[in-house]
Amino acid sequence: EKMAFTPGAQQTLELAMTASTSRRHTEICTGHLLLGLVDAADPLIIQIWEKLNVDVLDLWDNVRAHLDENLGD
């Protein structure tokens, strides 16, 4: 049986896949998923991060830098 995703989850997965393939990575890791969540800009996710005092732009910059440093990982 095939699992169905909400439109928001599907968008996040597609953005994560784009983050992975644009770096020529062969799999999607948690960093790619985080970038997908940030890029999707889901208001609920952003609200949760704000309540946790997460600087979303700082998170995006750090995850992106980590992924770029680890090409092929």
Side-chain angles (χ1 to χ4, degrees), residues 41-68:
D42 182 297
L44 177 60
I45 299 298
I46 292 172
Q47 184 180 40
I48 291 169
W49 282 336
E50 286 174 351
K51 285 185 179 186
L52 295 171
N53 295 317
V54 173
D55 181 329
V56 177
L57 293 178
D58 191 45
L59 171 69
W60 191 82
D61 284 340
N62 284 313
V63 171
R64 202 171 134 212
H66 174 75
L67 289 172
D68 290 344

Side-chain angles (χ1 to χ4, degrees), residues 6-69:
T6 65
Q10 183 65 41
Q11 180 187 19
T12 298
L13 290 171
E14 289 171 2
L15 290 166
M17 185 167 43
T18 298
S20 178
T21 58
S22 69
R23 289 169 175 78
R24 296 189 174 121
H25 292 175
T26 57
E27 53 192 32
I28 297 172
C29 72
T30 53
H32 301 118
L33 290 170
L34 278 170
L35 287 182
L37 284 169
V38 173
D39 289 343
D42 182 297
L44 177 60
I45 299 298
I46 292 172
Q47 184 180 40
I48 291 169
W49 282 336
E50 286 174 351
K51 285 185 179 186
L52 295 171
N53 295 317
V54 173
D55 181 329
V56 177
L57 293 178
D58 191 45
L59 171 69
W60 191 82
D61 284 340
N62 284 313
V63 171
R64 202 171 134 212
H66 174 75
L67 289 172
D68 290 344
E69 289 173 5

